[in-house]
Amino acid sequence: MEIKTVGVLGCGLMGAGIAQVCAASGYKTLVREVEEPLLAKGLGRIEKFLNDGIDKGKVTPEAKTRTLANLTGTTKLEDLASADLVIEAIIENVDEKARVYAALDAVVSDSTIFCSNTSSLCITELAAKTRRPDRFAGLHFFNPVPLMKLVEVIRALTTSDETYRAVFAFAQSLGKEPITAPDKPGFIVNRLLVPYLLDAIRSYENGLGTIEDIDKGMKLGTGYPMGPFTLLDFVGLDTTYYIANIMFDEYREPAYAPPPLLKRMVLAGRLGKKSGQGFYKY
Ligand code: CAA
């Protein structure tokens, strides 16, 4: 299975980051967004990241030119027909994903591998929505994708050995460090990270300390790059709430139950950095 052309579905925060690292690693990359303005926003995000990288001395102007030359944006799914591997990074909704997989199944080759960047949905369920459940795997990236070294590779019950090996090797070819995670909510990282974040909110509600002091404590006392509330704002409170609910539904353990304050902040539209206010104001 030689992978030369990669399709990316979705050019939001994650999709744009994934498309960027694929293009930067030499793959011909086709990224598809549903509407032109969303596509332009995503491609603009990639260009800004590369320009910031140049300013910081981390990206050469030649690397930026090479990356952008490998990247093509489109709103047409048919343009992904030549992709050897497609990474889906669209909205976290099984029906929406199934609709896109069905359309894609009709245009790509039989040998094309599908991967989902879902952080919380069941990979086996998603694989079963396609005509290629043996050529389907989870490939979970972390935000910000160009900077975070980790990728989780998740096998569905139906993933073939060949597909798993190809996807793992593909992640390595992006300069990432893949780990194998089980097809259970939260995989490895969110399984441990989300209860920690929820516990920080619960502890704050119970008067453990101020938001600033809890953040400072965890950042300076443990060497984490961000305290839990800064990280919650960075990940998005709606995203965390959504993942927590899926984990709680599956495991039925209090550690995964979203605390009342998290739900209320989501209801109030305080979603974190992206909405201008979360635990902090931006
Ligand atoms: N291009 C290239 N390199 C860049 C860059 C760019 N545009 N911007 C920054 N960098 C480099 C910097 O030069 C720096 O490199 P060195 O370490 O070699 O000096 C490094 O990246 C870090 O950048 P900064 O110093 O500017 O910023 P920082 O130190 O504050 O780090 C961060 C930023 C990487 C986001 C860090 O705060 C961090 O790791 N935070 C935690 C993020 C995290 O936990 N993400 C996972 C969230 S969970 C998830 O995504 C999964 C899910 O399912 C919800």
Side-chain angles (χ1 to χ4, degrees), residues 49 52-53 56 58 119 140 142-144 147-148 190 193 225-226 231 234-235 243:
F49 204 99
D52 289 350
K56 288 174 197 256
K58 288 295 165 88
S119 59
H140 184 220
F142 292 79
N143 178 30
L147 301 186
M148 303 304 280
N190 282 335
L193 178 64
M226 294 172 161
L231 185 55
F234 181 72
V235 169
I243 299 174

mmCIF file with all atom_site columns, all heavy atoms in Angstrom, residues 49 52-53 56 58 119 140 142-144 147-148 190 193 225-226 231 234-235 243, ligand 1:
data_model
loop_
_atom_site.group_PDB
_atom_site.id
_atom_site.type_symbol
_atom_site.label_atom_id
_atom_site.label_alt_id
_atom_site.label_comp_id
_atom_site.label_asym_id
_atom_site.label_entity_id
_atom_site.label_seq_id
_atom_site.pdbx_PDB_ins_code
_atom_site.Cartn_x
_atom_site.Cartn_y
_atom_site.Cartn_z
_atom_site.occupancy
_atom_site.B_iso_or_equiv
_atom_site.pdbx_formal_charge
_atom_site.auth_seq_id
_atom_site.auth_comp_id
_atom_site.auth_asym_id
_atom_site.auth_atom_id
_atom_site.pdbx_PDB_model_num
ATOM   1   N N   . PHE A 1 49  ? -0.035  29.999 10.255 1.00 0.00 ? 49  PHE A N   1
ATOM   2   C CA  . PHE A 1 49  ? 0.830   29.142 11.085 1.00 0.00 ? 49  PHE A CA  1
ATOM   3   C C   . PHE A 1 49  ? 2.233   29.053 10.488 1.00 0.00 ? 49  PHE A C   1
ATOM   4   O O   . PHE A 1 49  ? 3.232   29.122 11.207 1.00 0.00 ? 49  PHE A O   1
ATOM   5   C CB  . PHE A 1 49  ? 0.213   27.734 11.206 1.00 0.00 ? 49  PHE A CB  1
ATOM   6   C CG  . PHE A 1 49  ? 0.666   27.010 12.434 1.00 0.00 ? 49  PHE A CG  1
ATOM   7   C CD1 . PHE A 1 49  ? -0.130  26.975 13.568 1.00 0.00 ? 49  PHE A CD1 1
ATOM   8   C CD2 . PHE A 1 49  ? 1.908   26.393 12.480 1.00 0.00 ? 49  PHE A CD2 1
ATOM   9   C CE1 . PHE A 1 49  ? 0.298   26.335 14.715 1.00 0.00 ? 49  PHE A CE1 1
ATOM   10  C CE2 . PHE A 1 49  ? 2.344   25.747 13.627 1.00 0.00 ? 49  PHE A CE2 1
ATOM   11  C CZ  . PHE A 1 49  ? 1.534   25.711 14.748 1.00 0.00 ? 49  PHE A CZ  1
ATOM   12  N N   . ASP A 1 52  ? 3.981   32.398 10.984 1.00 0.00 ? 52  ASP A N   1
ATOM   13  C CA  . ASP A 1 52  ? 4.430   32.523 12.382 1.00 0.00 ? 52  ASP A CA  1
ATOM   14  C C   . ASP A 1 52  ? 5.671   31.657 12.606 1.00 0.00 ? 52  ASP A C   1
ATOM   15  O O   . ASP A 1 52  ? 6.594   32.045 13.331 1.00 0.00 ? 52  ASP A O   1
ATOM   16  C CB  . ASP A 1 52  ? 3.333   32.063 13.360 1.00 0.00 ? 52  ASP A CB  1
ATOM   17  C CG  . ASP A 1 52  ? 2.168   33.048 13.416 1.00 0.00 ? 52  ASP A CG  1
ATOM   18  O OD1 . ASP A 1 52  ? 2.301   34.153 12.845 1.00 0.00 ? 52  ASP A OD1 1
ATOM   19  O OD2 . ASP A 1 52  ? 1.121   32.704 14.021 1.00 0.00 ? 52  ASP A OD2 1
ATOM   20  N N   . GLY A 1 53  ? 5.652   30.481 11.969 1.00 0.00 ? 53  GLY A N   1
ATOM   21  C CA  . GLY A 1 53  ? 6.796   29.569 12.088 1.00 0.00 ? 53  GLY A CA  1
ATOM   22  C C   . GLY A 1 53  ? 8.058   30.195 11.515 1.00 0.00 ? 53  GLY A C   1
ATOM   23  O O   . GLY A 1 53  ? 9.153   30.032 12.070 1.00 0.00 ? 53  GLY A O   1
ATOM   24  N N   . LYS A 1 56  ? 9.336   32.750 13.896 1.00 0.00 ? 56  LYS A N   1
ATOM   25  C CA  . LYS A 1 56  ? 9.983   32.140 15.073 1.00 0.00 ? 56  LYS A CA  1
ATOM   26  C C   . LYS A 1 56  ? 11.254  31.375 14.708 1.00 0.00 ? 56  LYS A C   1
ATOM   27  O O   . LYS A 1 56  ? 11.871  30.760 15.570 1.00 0.00 ? 56  LYS A O   1
ATOM   28  C CB  . LYS A 1 56  ? 9.005   31.179 15.766 1.00 0.00 ? 56  LYS A CB  1
ATOM   29  C CG  . LYS A 1 56  ? 7.873   31.872 16.498 1.00 0.00 ? 56  LYS A CG  1
ATOM   30  C CD  . LYS A 1 56  ? 6.858   30.858 17.031 1.00 0.00 ? 56  LYS A CD  1
ATOM   31  C CE  . LYS A 1 56  ? 5.555   31.532 17.383 1.00 0.00 ? 56  LYS A CE  1
ATOM   32  N NZ  . LYS A 1 56  ? 5.305   31.745 18.769 1.00 0.00 ? 56  LYS A NZ  1
ATOM   33  N N   . LYS A 1 58  ? 11.349  28.660 12.975 1.00 0.00 ? 58  LYS A N   1
ATOM   34  C CA  . LYS A 1 58  ? 11.102  27.213 13.007 1.00 0.00 ? 58  LYS A CA  1
ATOM   35  C C   . LYS A 1 58  ? 10.768  26.643 11.633 1.00 0.00 ? 58  LYS A C   1
ATOM   36  O O   . LYS A 1 58  ? 10.761  25.436 11.445 1.00 0.00 ? 58  LYS A O   1
ATOM   37  C CB  . LYS A 1 58  ? 9.948   26.905 13.979 1.00 0.00 ? 58  LYS A CB  1
ATOM   38  C CG  . LYS A 1 58  ? 10.332  27.078 15.428 1.00 0.00 ? 58  LYS A CG  1
ATOM   39  C CD  . LYS A 1 58  ? 11.390  26.055 15.792 1.00 0.00 ? 58  LYS A CD  1
ATOM   40  C CE  . LYS A 1 58  ? 12.119  26.335 17.072 1.00 0.00 ? 58  LYS A CE  1
ATOM   41  N NZ  . LYS A 1 58  ? 11.496  25.793 18.227 1.00 0.00 ? 58  LYS A NZ  1
ATOM   42  N N   . SER A 1 119 ? -12.500 12.170 18.373 1.00 0.00 ? 119 SER A N   1
ATOM   43  C CA  . SER A 1 119 ? -11.877 12.036 19.692 1.00 0.00 ? 119 SER A CA  1
ATOM   44  C C   . SER A 1 119 ? -12.751 11.199 20.607 1.00 0.00 ? 119 SER A C   1
ATOM   45  O O   . SER A 1 119 ? -12.335 10.853 21.706 1.00 0.00 ? 119 SER A O   1
ATOM   46  C CB  . SER A 1 119 ? -11.642 13.417 20.313 1.00 0.00 ? 119 SER A CB  1
ATOM   47  O OG  . SER A 1 119 ? -12.860 14.101 20.433 1.00 0.00 ? 119 SER A OG  1
ATOM   48  N N   . HIS A 1 140 ? -6.065  9.725  15.673 1.00 0.00 ? 140 HIS A N   1
ATOM   49  C CA  . HIS A 1 140 ? -6.452  10.855 16.511 1.00 0.00 ? 140 HIS A CA  1
ATOM   50  C C   . HIS A 1 140 ? -5.267  11.781 16.782 1.00 0.00 ? 140 HIS A C   1
ATOM   51  O O   . HIS A 1 140 ? -4.320  11.412 17.459 1.00 0.00 ? 140 HIS A O   1
ATOM   52  C CB  . HIS A 1 140 ? -7.046  10.322 17.837 1.00 0.00 ? 140 HIS A CB  1
ATOM   53  C CG  . HIS A 1 140 ? -7.552  11.405 18.724 1.00 0.00 ? 140 HIS A CG  1
ATOM   54  N ND1 . HIS A 1 140 ? -7.398  11.411 20.088 1.00 0.00 ? 140 HIS A ND1 1
ATOM   55  C CD2 . HIS A 1 140 ? -8.213  12.556 18.423 1.00 0.00 ? 140 HIS A CD2 1
ATOM   56  C CE1 . HIS A 1 140 ? -7.950  12.492 20.592 1.00 0.00 ? 140 HIS A CE1 1
ATOM   57  N NE2 . HIS A 1 140 ? -8.439  13.214 19.602 1.00 0.00 ? 140 HIS A NE2 1
ATOM   58  N N   . PHE A 1 142 ? -3.664  15.699 18.000 1.00 0.00 ? 142 PHE A N   1
ATOM   59  C CA  . PHE A 1 142 ? -3.841  16.601 19.139 1.00 0.00 ? 142 PHE A CA  1
ATOM   60  C C   . PHE A 1 142 ? -3.590  18.044 18.718 1.00 0.00 ? 142 PHE A C   1
ATOM   61  O O   . PHE A 1 142 ? -2.806  18.298 17.808 1.00 0.00 ? 142 PHE A O   1
ATOM   62  C CB  . PHE A 1 142 ? -2.906  16.158 20.292 1.00 0.00 ? 142 PHE A CB  1
ATOM   63  C CG  . PHE A 1 142 ? -3.371  14.840 20.846 1.00 0.00 ? 142 PHE A CG  1
ATOM   64  C CD1 . PHE A 1 142 ? -3.077  13.657 20.194 1.00 0.00 ? 142 PHE A CD1 1
ATOM   65  C CD2 . PHE A 1 142 ? -4.192  14.796 21.953 1.00 0.00 ? 142 PHE A CD2 1
ATOM   66  C CE1 . PHE A 1 142 ? -3.574  12.444 20.651 1.00 0.00 ? 142 PHE A CE1 1
ATOM   67  C CE2 . PHE A 1 142 ? -4.694  13.591 22.419 1.00 0.00 ? 142 PHE A CE2 1
ATOM   68  C CZ  . PHE A 1 142 ? -4.377  12.411 21.772 1.00 0.00 ? 142 PHE A CZ  1
ATOM   69  N N   . ASN A 1 143 ? -4.270  18.924 19.378 1.00 0.00 ? 143 ASN A N   1
ATOM   70  C CA  . ASN A 1 143 ? -4.256  20.345 19.041 1.00 0.00 ? 143 ASN A CA  1
ATOM   71  C C   . ASN A 1 143 ? -3.179  21.080 19.854 1.00 0.00 ? 143 ASN A C   1
ATOM   72  O O   . ASN A 1 143 ? -3.146  20.907 21.069 1.00 0.00 ? 143 ASN A O   1
ATOM   73  C CB  . ASN A 1 143 ? -5.654  20.901 19.379 1.00 0.00 ? 143 ASN A CB  1
ATOM   74  C CG  . ASN A 1 143 ? -5.780  22.383 19.125 1.00 0.00 ? 143 ASN A CG  1
ATOM   75  O OD1 . ASN A 1 143 ? -5.125  22.925 18.252 1.00 0.00 ? 143 ASN A OD1 1
ATOM   76  N ND2 . ASN A 1 143 ? -6.613  23.040 19.908 1.00 0.00 ? 143 ASN A ND2 1
ATOM   77  N N   . PRO A 1 144 ? -2.351  21.893 19.251 1.00 0.00 ? 144 PRO A N   1
ATOM   78  C CA  . PRO A 1 144 ? -2.216  22.228 17.827 1.00 0.00 ? 144 PRO A CA  1
ATOM   79  C C   . PRO A 1 144 ? -1.458  21.139 17.055 1.00 0.00 ? 144 PRO A C   1
ATOM   80  O O   . PRO A 1 144 ? -0.332  20.803 17.413 1.00 0.00 ? 144 PRO A O   1
ATOM   81  C CB  . PRO A 1 144 ? -1.406  23.538 17.851 1.00 0.00 ? 144 PRO A CB  1
ATOM   82  C CG  . PRO A 1 144 ? -0.693  23.570 19.174 1.00 0.00 ? 144 PRO A CG  1
ATOM   83  C CD  . PRO A 1 144 ? -1.435  22.694 20.125 1.00 0.00 ? 144 PRO A CD  1
ATOM   84  N N   . LEU A 1 147 ? 2.256   21.060 16.150 1.00 0.00 ? 147 LEU A N   1
ATOM   85  C CA  . LEU A 1 147 ? 3.234   21.076 17.252 1.00 0.00 ? 147 LEU A CA  1
ATOM   86  C C   . LEU A 1 147 ? 3.187   19.835 18.132 1.00 0.00 ? 147 LEU A C   1
ATOM   87  O O   . LEU A 1 147 ? 4.189   19.472 18.745 1.00 0.00 ? 147 LEU A O   1
ATOM   88  C CB  . LEU A 1 147 ? 3.018   22.310 18.146 1.00 0.00 ? 147 LEU A CB  1
ATOM   89  C CG  . LEU A 1 147 ? 3.122   23.686 17.489 1.00 0.00 ? 147 LEU A CG  1
ATOM   90  C CD1 . LEU A 1 147 ? 3.029   24.786 18.545 1.00 0.00 ? 147 LEU A CD1 1
ATOM   91  C CD2 . LEU A 1 147 ? 4.440   23.819 16.721 1.00 0.00 ? 147 LEU A CD2 1
ATOM   92  N N   . MET A 1 148 ? 2.023   19.189 18.239 1.00 0.00 ? 148 MET A N   1
ATOM   93  C CA  . MET A 1 148 ? 1.895   18.060 19.161 1.00 0.00 ? 148 MET A CA  1
ATOM   94  C C   . MET A 1 148 ? 2.393   16.788 18.474 1.00 0.00 ? 148 MET A C   1
ATOM   95  O O   . MET A 1 148 ? 1.919   16.439 17.392 1.00 0.00 ? 148 MET A O   1
ATOM   96  C CB  . MET A 1 148 ? 0.443   17.892 19.633 1.00 0.00 ? 148 MET A CB  1
ATOM   97  C CG  . MET A 1 148 ? -0.150  19.133 20.295 1.00 0.00 ? 148 MET A CG  1
ATOM   98  S SD  . MET A 1 148 ? 0.783   19.741 21.698 1.00 0.00 ? 148 MET A SD  1
ATOM   99  C CE  . MET A 1 148 ? 0.224   18.639 22.972 1.00 0.00 ? 148 MET A CE  1
ATOM   100 N N   . ASN A 1 190 ? -7.430  11.026 26.315 1.00 0.00 ? 190 ASN A N   1
ATOM   101 C CA  . ASN A 1 190 ? -8.621  11.662 26.909 1.00 0.00 ? 190 ASN A CA  1
ATOM   102 C C   . ASN A 1 190 ? -9.195  10.845 28.060 1.00 0.00 ? 190 ASN A C   1
ATOM   103 O O   . ASN A 1 190 ? -9.836  11.394 28.955 1.00 0.00 ? 190 ASN A O   1
ATOM   104 C CB  . ASN A 1 190 ? -9.694  11.903 25.850 1.00 0.00 ? 190 ASN A CB  1
ATOM   105 C CG  . ASN A 1 190 ? -9.382  13.126 25.006 1.00 0.00 ? 190 ASN A CG  1
ATOM   106 O OD1 . ASN A 1 190 ? -8.669  14.022 25.454 1.00 0.00 ? 190 ASN A OD1 1
ATOM   107 N ND2 . ASN A 1 190 ? -9.889  13.172 23.789 1.00 0.00 ? 190 ASN A ND2 1
ATOM   108 N N   . LEU A 1 193 ? -6.993  12.348 30.629 1.00 0.00 ? 193 LEU A N   1
ATOM   109 C CA  . LEU A 1 193 ? -7.000  13.817 30.695 1.00 0.00 ? 193 LEU A CA  1
ATOM   110 C C   . LEU A 1 193 ? -8.363  14.375 31.106 1.00 0.00 ? 193 LEU A C   1
ATOM   111 O O   . LEU A 1 193 ? -8.442  15.290 31.936 1.00 0.00 ? 193 LEU A O   1
ATOM   112 C CB  . LEU A 1 193 ? -6.600  14.379 29.316 1.00 0.00 ? 193 LEU A CB  1
ATOM   113 C CG  . LEU A 1 193 ? -6.605  15.905 29.167 1.00 0.00 ? 193 LEU A CG  1
ATOM   114 C CD1 . LEU A 1 193 ? -5.573  16.552 30.075 1.00 0.00 ? 193 LEU A CD1 1
ATOM   115 C CD2 . LEU A 1 193 ? -6.353  16.307 27.714 1.00 0.00 ? 193 LEU A CD2 1
ATOM   116 N N   . PRO A 1 225 ? 2.401   22.071 30.544 1.00 0.00 ? 225 PRO A N   1
ATOM   117 C CA  . PRO A 1 225 ? 2.548   23.340 29.820 1.00 0.00 ? 225 PRO A CA  1
ATOM   118 C C   . PRO A 1 225 ? 1.427   24.337 30.113 1.00 0.00 ? 225 PRO A C   1
ATOM   119 O O   . PRO A 1 225 ? 1.623   25.545 29.966 1.00 0.00 ? 225 PRO A O   1
ATOM   120 C CB  . PRO A 1 225 ? 2.523   22.918 28.349 1.00 0.00 ? 225 PRO A CB  1
ATOM   121 C CG  . PRO A 1 225 ? 1.917   21.560 28.333 1.00 0.00 ? 225 PRO A CG  1
ATOM   122 C CD  . PRO A 1 225 ? 2.210   20.929 29.645 1.00 0.00 ? 225 PRO A CD  1
ATOM   123 N N   . MET A 1 226 ? 0.265   23.836 30.520 1.00 0.00 ? 226 MET A N   1
ATOM   124 C CA  . MET A 1 226 ? -0.867  24.713 30.832 1.00 0.00 ? 226 MET A CA  1
ATOM   125 C C   . MET A 1 226 ? -1.565  24.137 32.064 1.00 0.00 ? 226 MET A C   1
ATOM   126 O O   . MET A 1 226 ? -1.636  22.916 32.217 1.00 0.00 ? 226 MET A O   1
ATOM   127 C CB  . MET A 1 226 ? -1.908  24.682 29.705 1.00 0.00 ? 226 MET A CB  1
ATOM   128 C CG  . MET A 1 226 ? -1.463  25.261 28.392 1.00 0.00 ? 226 MET A CG  1
ATOM   129 S SD  . MET A 1 226 ? -2.732  24.914 27.127 1.00 0.00 ? 226 MET A SD  1
ATOM   130 C CE  . MET A 1 226 ? -2.303  26.119 25.897 1.00 0.00 ? 226 MET A CE  1
ATOM   131 N N   . LEU A 1 231 ? -6.151  24.973 29.836 1.00 0.00 ? 231 LEU A N   1
ATOM   132 C CA  . LEU A 1 231 ? -6.288  23.886 28.857 1.00 0.00 ? 231 LEU A CA  1
ATOM   133 C C   . LEU A 1 231 ? -7.757  23.667 28.487 1.00 0.00 ? 231 LEU A C   1
ATOM   134 O O   . LEU A 1 231 ? -8.080  23.460 27.306 1.00 0.00 ? 231 LEU A O   1
ATOM   135 C CB  . LEU A 1 231 ? -5.660  22.592 29.412 1.00 0.00 ? 231 LEU A CB  1
ATOM   136 C CG  . LEU A 1 231 ? -5.622  21.398 28.453 1.00 0.00 ? 231 LEU A CG  1
ATOM   137 C CD1 . LEU A 1 231 ? -4.933  21.734 27.133 1.00 0.00 ? 231 LEU A CD1 1
ATOM   138 C CD2 . LEU A 1 231 ? -4.915  20.210 29.099 1.00 0.00 ? 231 LEU A CD2 1
ATOM   139 N N   . PHE A 1 234 ? -8.643  26.182 26.073 1.00 0.00 ? 234 PHE A N   1
ATOM   140 C CA  . PHE A 1 234 ? -7.930  25.917 24.816 1.00 0.00 ? 234 PHE A CA  1
ATOM   141 C C   . PHE A 1 234 ? -8.639  24.803 24.027 1.00 0.00 ? 234 PHE A C   1
ATOM   142 O O   . PHE A 1 234 ? -8.873  24.928 22.821 1.00 0.00 ? 234 PHE A O   1
ATOM   143 C CB  . PHE A 1 234 ? -6.493  25.516 25.179 1.00 0.00 ? 234 PHE A CB  1
ATOM   144 C CG  . PHE A 1 234 ? -5.589  25.228 24.019 1.00 0.00 ? 234 PHE A CG  1
ATOM   145 C CD1 . PHE A 1 234 ? -5.116  26.253 23.213 1.00 0.00 ? 234 PHE A CD1 1
ATOM   146 C CD2 . PHE A 1 234 ? -5.177  23.923 23.739 1.00 0.00 ? 234 PHE A CD2 1
ATOM   147 C CE1 . PHE A 1 234 ? -4.266  25.989 22.152 1.00 0.00 ? 234 PHE A CE1 1
ATOM   148 C CE2 . PHE A 1 234 ? -4.330  23.652 22.679 1.00 0.00 ? 234 PHE A CE2 1
ATOM   149 C CZ  . PHE A 1 234 ? -3.876  24.686 21.884 1.00 0.00 ? 234 PHE A CZ  1
ATOM   150 N N   . VAL A 1 235 ? -9.016  23.741 24.723 1.00 0.00 ? 235 VAL A N   1
ATOM   151 C CA  . VAL A 1 235 ? -9.688  22.603 24.064 1.00 0.00 ? 235 VAL A CA  1
ATOM   152 C C   . VAL A 1 235 ? -11.110 22.992 23.664 1.00 0.00 ? 235 VAL A C   1
ATOM   153 O O   . VAL A 1 235 ? -11.625 22.573 22.629 1.00 0.00 ? 235 VAL A O   1
ATOM   154 C CB  . VAL A 1 235 ? -9.704  21.369 24.998 1.00 0.00 ? 235 VAL A CB  1
ATOM   155 C CG1 . VAL A 1 235 ? -10.611 20.264 24.482 1.00 0.00 ? 235 VAL A CG1 1
ATOM   156 C CG2 . VAL A 1 235 ? -8.297  20.831 25.205 1.00 0.00 ? 235 VAL A CG2 1
ATOM   157 N N   . ILE A 1 243 ? -17.287 15.141 25.083 1.00 0.00 ? 243 ILE A N   1
ATOM   158 C CA  . ILE A 1 243 ? -16.478 13.924 25.295 1.00 0.00 ? 243 ILE A CA  1
ATOM   159 C C   . ILE A 1 243 ? -16.824 13.298 26.647 1.00 0.00 ? 243 ILE A C   1
ATOM   160 O O   . ILE A 1 243 ? -16.979 12.080 26.763 1.00 0.00 ? 243 ILE A O   1
ATOM   161 C CB  . ILE A 1 243 ? -14.956 14.234 25.238 1.00 0.00 ? 243 ILE A CB  1
ATOM   162 C CG1 . ILE A 1 243 ? -14.557 14.795 23.875 1.00 0.00 ? 243 ILE A CG1 1
ATOM   163 C CG2 . ILE A 1 243 ? -14.129 12.984 25.550 1.00 0.00 ? 243 ILE A CG2 1
ATOM   164 C CD1 . ILE A 1 243 ? -13.096 15.263 23.774 1.00 0.00 ? 243 ILE A CD1 1
HETATM 165 N N1  . CAA B 2 .   ? 5.453   26.961 13.591 1.00 0.00 ? 1   CAA B N1  1
HETATM 166 C C1  . CAA B 2 .   ? 6.454   26.166 14.044 1.00 0.00 ? 1   CAA B C1  1
HETATM 167 N N2  . CAA B 2 .   ? 6.802   26.053 15.337 1.00 0.00 ? 1   CAA B N2  1
HETATM 168 C C2  . CAA B 2 .   ? 6.113   26.790 16.210 1.00 0.00 ? 1   CAA B C2  1
HETATM 169 C C3  . CAA B 2 .   ? 5.059   27.635 15.822 1.00 0.00 ? 1   CAA B C3  1
HETATM 170 C C4  . CAA B 2 .   ? 4.741   27.723 14.438 1.00 0.00 ? 1   CAA B C4  1
HETATM 171 N N3  . CAA B 2 .   ? 3.777   28.507 14.008 1.00 0.00 ? 1   CAA B N3  1
HETATM 172 N N4  . CAA B 2 .   ? 4.528   28.228 16.918 1.00 0.00 ? 1   CAA B N4  1
HETATM 173 C C5  . CAA B 2 .   ? 5.242   27.758 17.977 1.00 0.00 ? 1   CAA B C5  1
HETATM 174 N N5  . CAA B 2 .   ? 6.198   26.902 17.544 1.00 0.00 ? 1   CAA B N5  1
HETATM 175 C C6  . CAA B 2 .   ? 7.181   26.201 18.359 1.00 0.00 ? 1   CAA B C6  1
HETATM 176 C C7  . CAA B 2 .   ? 7.944   27.187 19.210 1.00 0.00 ? 1   CAA B C7  1
HETATM 177 O O1  . CAA B 2 .   ? 9.026   27.724 18.520 1.00 0.00 ? 1   CAA B O1  1
HETATM 178 C C8  . CAA B 2 .   ? 8.363   26.333 20.387 1.00 0.00 ? 1   CAA B C8  1
HETATM 179 O O2  . CAA B 2 .   ? 9.460   25.537 20.019 1.00 0.00 ? 1   CAA B O2  1
HETATM 180 P P1  . CAA B 2 .   ? 10.609  25.168 21.091 1.00 0.00 ? 1   CAA B P1  1
HETATM 181 O O3  . CAA B 2 .   ? 9.927   24.328 22.144 1.00 0.00 ? 1   CAA B O3  1
HETATM 182 O O4  . CAA B 2 .   ? 11.618  24.415 20.295 1.00 0.00 ? 1   CAA B O4  1
HETATM 183 O O5  . CAA B 2 .   ? 11.091  26.478 21.614 1.00 0.00 ? 1   CAA B O5  1
HETATM 184 C C9  . CAA B 2 .   ? 7.148   25.395 20.570 1.00 0.00 ? 1   CAA B C9  1
HETATM 185 O O6  . CAA B 2 .   ? 6.520   25.342 19.287 1.00 0.00 ? 1   CAA B O6  1
HETATM 186 C C10 . CAA B 2 .   ? 6.167   25.918 21.603 1.00 0.00 ? 1   CAA B C10 1
HETATM 187 O O7  . CAA B 2 .   ? 5.669   27.174 21.185 1.00 0.00 ? 1   CAA B O7  1
HETATM 188 P P2  . CAA B 2 .   ? 5.595   28.501 22.088 1.00 0.00 ? 1   CAA B P2  1
HETATM 189 O O8  . CAA B 2 .   ? 6.828   28.610 22.924 1.00 0.00 ? 1   CAA B O8  1
HETATM 190 O O9  . CAA B 2 .   ? 5.252   29.657 21.225 1.00 0.00 ? 1   CAA B O9  1
HETATM 191 O O10 . CAA B 2 .   ? 4.329   28.267 22.952 1.00 0.00 ? 1   CAA B O10 1
HETATM 192 P P3  . CAA B 2 .   ? 4.191   27.432 24.275 1.00 0.00 ? 1   CAA B P3  1
HETATM 193 O O11 . CAA B 2 .   ? 5.505   27.030 24.829 1.00 0.00 ? 1   CAA B O11 1
HETATM 194 O O12 . CAA B 2 .   ? 3.245   28.226 25.075 1.00 0.00 ? 1   CAA B O12 1
HETATM 195 O O13 . CAA B 2 .   ? 3.487   26.093 23.751 1.00 0.00 ? 1   CAA B O13 1
HETATM 196 C C11 . CAA B 2 .   ? 1.663   24.746 23.269 1.00 0.00 ? 1   CAA B C11 1
HETATM 197 C C12 . CAA B 2 .   ? 2.251   26.118 23.128 1.00 0.00 ? 1   CAA B C12 1
HETATM 198 C C13 . CAA B 2 .   ? 2.443   23.760 22.400 1.00 0.00 ? 1   CAA B C13 1
HETATM 199 C C14 . CAA B 2 .   ? 0.222   24.815 22.768 1.00 0.00 ? 1   CAA B C14 1
HETATM 200 C C15 . CAA B 2 .   ? 1.744   24.302 24.760 1.00 0.00 ? 1   CAA B C15 1
HETATM 201 O O14 . CAA B 2 .   ? 1.157   25.277 25.570 1.00 0.00 ? 1   CAA B O14 1
HETATM 202 C C16 . CAA B 2 .   ? 1.083   22.986 25.019 1.00 0.00 ? 1   CAA B C16 1
HETATM 203 O O15 . CAA B 2 .   ? 1.631   21.925 24.754 1.00 0.00 ? 1   CAA B O15 1
HETATM 204 N N6  . CAA B 2 .   ? -0.162  23.041 25.591 1.00 0.00 ? 1   CAA B N6  1
HETATM 205 C C17 . CAA B 2 .   ? -0.945  21.855 25.867 1.00 0.00 ? 1   CAA B C17 1
HETATM 206 C C18 . CAA B 2 .   ? -1.670  21.483 24.613 1.00 0.00 ? 1   CAA B C18 1
HETATM 207 C C19 . CAA B 2 .   ? -2.452  20.220 24.792 1.00 0.00 ? 1   CAA B C19 1
HETATM 208 O O16 . CAA B 2 .   ? -2.537  19.605 25.831 1.00 0.00 ? 1   CAA B O16 1
HETATM 209 N N7  . CAA B 2 .   ? -3.066  19.796 23.676 1.00 0.00 ? 1   CAA B N7  1
HETATM 210 C C20 . CAA B 2 .   ? -3.900  18.626 23.668 1.00 0.00 ? 1   CAA B C20 1
HETATM 211 C C21 . CAA B 2 .   ? -5.320  19.031 23.902 1.00 0.00 ? 1   CAA B C21 1
HETATM 212 S S1  . CAA B 2 .   ? -6.362  17.625 23.946 1.00 0.00 ? 1   CAA B S1  1
HETATM 213 C C22 . CAA B 2 .   ? -6.631  17.306 22.314 1.00 0.00 ? 1   CAA B C22 1
HETATM 214 O O17 . CAA B 2 .   ? -6.250  17.982 21.427 1.00 0.00 ? 1   CAA B O17 1
HETATM 215 C C23 . CAA B 2 .   ? -7.373  16.058 22.018 1.00 0.00 ? 1   CAA B C23 1
HETATM 216 C C24 . CAA B 2 .   ? -8.821  16.052 22.141 1.00 0.00 ? 1   CAA B C24 1
HETATM 217 O O18 . CAA B 2 .   ? -9.407  15.077 21.722 1.00 0.00 ? 1   CAA B O18 1
HETATM 218 C C25 . CAA B 2 .   ? -9.609  17.109 22.817 1.00 0.00 ? 1   CAA B C25 1
#
